Amino acid sequence: MNTLTAKNTDTLMEPRAIRKTKPESAISIKNLNVHAGSHHILNNINLEIPKNKVTVLLGPSGCGKTTLLKSLNKLTDLYKELDVSGSVFIGKDDILNSNHNIPALRQKMGLLSQKPYPLPVSIFKNVAYGLKLKGVKDKKLIAYNVEQKLKEVGLWEEVKDRLHSSADSLSIGQQQRLCLARGLAVKPQIILADEPTSALDPVSSKIIEERFRELKKYYTIVIVTHILRQAQRLADNVVFMHYGKIIEQGTPEAVLKNPQSSQLKEYLVDGF
Amino acid sequence: MLTALVLILLFPLLIGVALLFKSIPLLNADSIVNLLFSDNWAPNSGKFGFWPFIFSSLYVTVLSFIFSAPLCLLAAIYLTEFASARLIRIMHPVIDILAGIPSVIYGMWGILVIVPFVGDYLAPVFGLNSSGYSILAGGIVLAIMCIPYMLNMLIETFKSVPYGLKEAGFSLGATHWETIKHIVIRKSRPGIISAFGLGMAKAFGETLAVMMVVGNIARITGNPFEAGYPLPALIANNYGEMLSIPLYDSALMFAALVLFVVVLLINLVFRYLIIASNPAKV
Ligand SMILES: Nc1ncnc2c1ncn2[C@@H]1O[C@H](COP(=O)(O)OP(=O)(O)OP(=O)(O)O)[C@@H](O)[C@H]1O
Ligand SMILES: [Mg+2]
């Protein structure tokens, strides 16, 4: 623990020149283990998630990608059967081991799940909800933000005339974009996306994917996908997992074009 | 199959028509407003004012609702959101057993426990004198009978809220309570209303257990420590006994018709509330 803290201050002290050569980490995962009873879901994960880059998590079903994502914003807390140990540093805070203000911590991250789950309120209120939780009262400011975020995800033109109707009335693709807008409205630094396009039609998928390419200028993105082409198109950094372990990681060229491990080779053969 | 379905669908109608048909002699003898809202109950002199009975029925129902609804809501939230999986596993059969206990047993238990409790402990606290056989005792017994029903439905409702929706709330920075308040309860609103509606309809129509503890005296009083006489009790107590009195037979049919219509109304009102509260329309 001590050495970790020391090391961390060191990085902060590093002169600019050196830091540039080493990409800055937005999230730094150390010895993360997750158990469910005797099932070792995540096995000693060590991973640096580079800032303002897209990190793609790949791996066969059940290898622990979703669990890894949920560990990053402590959604694992909701599952009493999960036992999480290790450290996850966001900046210099170890979120697993400090009694952090967890809601505030989660607001640093926007989560986009596999299926859209619009809140049971209007389109407008869906996007405004995070701001409301933050205590923003200024109606004009909220309305401005809602409009901005809906524009950011390309939904504004489609919904501007029915902002106050139920979010359930939107198509699935629109709902997913709404969920993205809702997540962006709390001004996160990191976006966590768990197969965000797997439930969508090709057109909506493409829209979401394009949004991600825009968003990566401003956000650190961690995305799980089973679509290798999507991984190729989006990733700066690919992480391949297998049975709760990280097997390979690197640039998309290195990992996808030149796999080393037998597990990854097999996965790629099946995937393409 | 289809015939069975049609029969089931027609059944309420048939019941209603039969009751109406049998009530006609009484309806010919007096105006419906008089019958419903007069408090003059003197069958021997041909006066049939049902208001005391309707009033008692509404009173015990509302009391039982006040006692049971908030309790069930909190219990269901606790069980689905906070309790350990083990507690839920234990609670499920317990609730089922409670729901399956025959109402006569609730009635006996009411006489043994609730009536003395109301008469000997509760009434003196308020400086009142009560035999214990009272509207309040009826309300309490009804509440206890309704709890397993409502609780079961509420638990199912809360359990059906998708995990992903709650995770969405948490990931936006909601606390557990905020997630429950803004998302779980909101999403469950139609289910909550429907559970309350069914509970109320059940309470309004429940006969035996209430009859055993409510005192069965026809009068109108706001004081819950005094006896009341709900509609179902009137029917059950007198049918087949007082039929020598002219029109009494028809009067009891009319009482049944009122009971039937009110239960129907409760159902309709709640059905409307469910539709109106559907989050899809917010
Ligand atoms: N709350 C839990 N309790 C018990 N086991 C769990 C829990 N959550 C996940 N698991 C198990 O952990 C393993 C990893 O699950 P996870 O959802 O992280 O996989 P995944 O890589 O996201 O798979 P997929 O690609 O199918 O989404 C699975 O075997 C799963 O059954
Ligand atoms: Mg998954």
Side-chain angles (χ1 to χ4, degrees):
Chain A
M1 202 51 225
N2 264 337
T3 52
L4 281 182
T5 337
K7 194 170 158 219
N8 231 279
T9 8
D10 277 349
T11 356
L12 284 178
M13 302 291 199
E14 266 178 325
R16 249 200 140 80
I18 301 177
R19 223 168 50 191
K20 262 199 173 155
T21 55
K22 256 193 186 172
E24 201 183 337
S25 290
I27 308 173
S28 160
I29 304 165
K30 314 261 188 221
N31 306 324
L32 176 67
N33 282 284
V34 177
H35 292 264
S38 61
H39 183 181
H40 204 163
I41 301 175
L42 291 181
N43 191 339
N44 210 34
I45 301 284
N46 284 284
L47 182 64
E48 301 292 319
I49 309 251
K51 195 167 177 176
N52 291 4
K53 294 270 190 296
V54 177
T55 299
V56 169
L57 299 180
L58 283 181
S61 182
C63 70
K65 305 179 296 295
T66 299
T67 309
L68 178 56
L69 221 51
K70 284 183 185 170
S71 313
L72 300 184
N73 69 350
K74 279 175 93 75
L75 278 184
T76 39
D77 287 4
L78 310 190
Y79 301 84
K80 295 191 192 81
E81 64 277 16
L82 295 183
D83 176 25
V84 182
S85 65
S87 310
V88 172
F89 290 93
I90 309 278
K92 56 183 185 335
D93 293 318
D94 178 0
I95 60 163
L96 295 187
N97 300 302
S98 61
N99 9 355
H100 220 92
N101 177 351
I102 295 170
L105 171 96
R106 291 196 178 115
Q107 290 193 324
K108 288 187 184 168
M109 291 173 248
L111 177 79
L112 199 56
S113 57
Q114 196 165 353
K115 248 182 73 187
Y117 285 104
L119 306 177
V121 290
S122 69
I123 294 169
F124 184 92
K125 284 186 180 163
N126 258 274
V127 186
Y129 185 60
L131 295 169
K132 183 182 154 192
L133 291 176
K134 277 193 163 181
V136 180
K137 294 250 159 52
D138 182 348
K139 287 214 168 71
K140 271 193 189 146
L141 184 65
I142 292 177
Y144 172 78
N145 265 286
V146 169
E147 181 175 339
Q148 283 309 306
K149 296 304 155 186
L150 286 173
K151 281 180 174 163
E152 231 170 276
V153 300
L155 197 57
W156 176 251
E157 288 302 320
E158 290 157 66
V159 302
K160 66 178 185 209
D161 298 323
R162 49 170 173 147
L163 287 174
H164 298 287
S165 53
S166 160
D168 290 329
S169 65
L170 298 172
S171 76
I172 300 290
Q174 290 173 325
Q175 287 183 12
Q176 189 66 313
R177 279 182 281 154
L178 179 69
C179 290
L180 181 58
R182 169 180 85 184
L184 295 177
V186 293
K187 295 205 166 55
Q189 301 148 16
I190 299 164
I191 296 172
L192 308 173
D194 192 357
E195 301 182 45
T197 63
S198 67
L200 307 187
D201 61 284
V203 177
S204 305
S205 299
K206 197 162 161 247
I207 299 176
I208 291 273
E209 210 183 296
E210 277 167 6
R211 289 304 128 194
F212 275 111
R213 256 185 297 215
E214 284 289 309
L215 293 170
K216 80 181 209 187
K217 291 180 201 146
Y218 314 102
Y219 302 90
T220 301
I221 299 177
V222 185
I223 175 171
V224 174
T225 181
H226 280 295
I227 309 163
L228 292 174
R229 289 177 203 289
Q230 189 173 58
Q232 226 155 17
R233 287 191 295 264
L234 286 175
D236 298 303
N237 181 29
V238 177
V239 176
F240 175 70
M241 295 173 65
H242 195 260
Y243 281 113
K245 284 188 183 150
I246 293 179
I247 307 287
E248 288 192 39
Q249 59 171 306
T251 61
E253 291 75 34
V255 175
L256 298 174
K257 296 275 152 54
N258 194 11
Q260 303 295 313
S261 60
S262 57
Q263 297 100 317
L264 179 54
K265 281 178 191 159
E266 199 178 312
Y267 181 76
L268 292 176
V269 169
D270 293 344
F272 271 110
Chain B
M1 268 281 276
L2 198 67
T3 351
L5 191 69
V6 169
L7 269 180
I8 290 171
L9 290 177
L10 276 180
F11 220 66
L13 196 68
L14 290 176
I15 295 176
V17 169
L19 291 175
L20 183 62
F21 186 73
K22 287 289 218 167
S23 313
I24 284 175
L26 185 71
L27 286 167
N28 281 335
D30 207 343
S31 80
I32 185 143
V33 176
N34 244 340
L35 288 173
L36 288 177
F37 298 111
S38 151
D39 56 4
N40 188 359
W41 179 256
N44 283 317
S45 38
K47 295 273 187 273
F48 295 96
F50 282 91
W51 184 237
F53 304 98
I54 297 172
F55 179 83
S56 286
S57 275
L58 291 173
Y59 203 167
V60 286
T61 303
V62 168
L63 275 186
S64 85
F65 184 75
I66 291 171
F67 296 147
S68 60
L71 197 71
C72 286
L73 201 58
L74 291 176
I77 289 172
Y78 176 76
L79 284 171
T80 50
E81 291 289 329
F82 298 98
S84 67
R86 221 182 96 225
L87 184 60
I88 297 174
R89 270 204 303 280
I90 297 171
M91 280 306 285
H92 258 300
V94 171
I95 294 171
D96 287 346
I97 290 168
L98 284 176
I101 294 177
S103 55
V104 66
I105 294 180
Y106 281 105
M108 294 297 291
W109 181 79
I111 293 174
L112 284 174
V113 179
I114 300 299
V115 168
F117 170 71
V118 170
D120 301 342
Y121 294 96
L122 223 46
V125 170
F126 292 92
L128 294 165
N129 216 336
S130 167
S131 69
Y133 290 93
S134 57
I135 298 265
L136 182 60
I140 294 173
V141 169
L142 268 183
I144 292 166
M145 291 180 72
C146 286
I147 282 172
Y149 275 85
M150 285 208 231
L151 193 54
N152 229 345
M153 286 185 277
L154 290 173
I155 289 174
E156 289 311 315
T157 305
F158 290 142
K159 274 209 299 209
S160 70
V161 175
Y163 234 99
L165 190 58
K166 287 193 244 174
E167 286 182 354
F170 281 108
S171 73
L172 290 170
T175 60
H176 198 167
W177 266 113
E178 284 165 338
T179 305
I180 292 170
K181 209 167 82 190
H182 302 143
I183 297 176
V184 176
I185 292 189
R186 181 135 212 169
K187 186 80 181 172
S188 309
R189 224 155 45 175
I192 294 172
I193 293 171
S194 133
F196 284 176
L198 288 170
M200 258 187 140
K202 183 181 154 61
F204 195 83
E206 171 55 36
T207 310
L208 199 56
V210 190
M211 194 167 99
M212 291 165 79
V213 300
V214 81
N216 299 330
I217 298 172
R219 67 172 160 218
I220 294 172
T221 166
N223 178 357
F225 289 98
E226 290 193 23
Y229 205 162
L231 274 174
L234 169 73
I235 302 168
N237 269 336
N238 298 304
Y239 197 77
E241 291 196 2
M242 317 273 282
L243 299 186
S244 56
I245 301 173
L247 284 180
Y248 207 106
D249 169 41
S250 184
L252 292 184
M253 287 299 171
F254 181 72
L257 182 67
V258 171
L259 190 63
F260 180 76
V261 170
V262 172
V263 170
L264 220 60
L265 279 180
I266 294 178
N267 272 306
L268 282 178
V269 167
F270 277 92
R271 197 121 310 264
Y272 169 76
L273 288 177
I274 290 168
I275 295 167
S277 76
N278 196 334
K281 284 180 53 190
V282 179

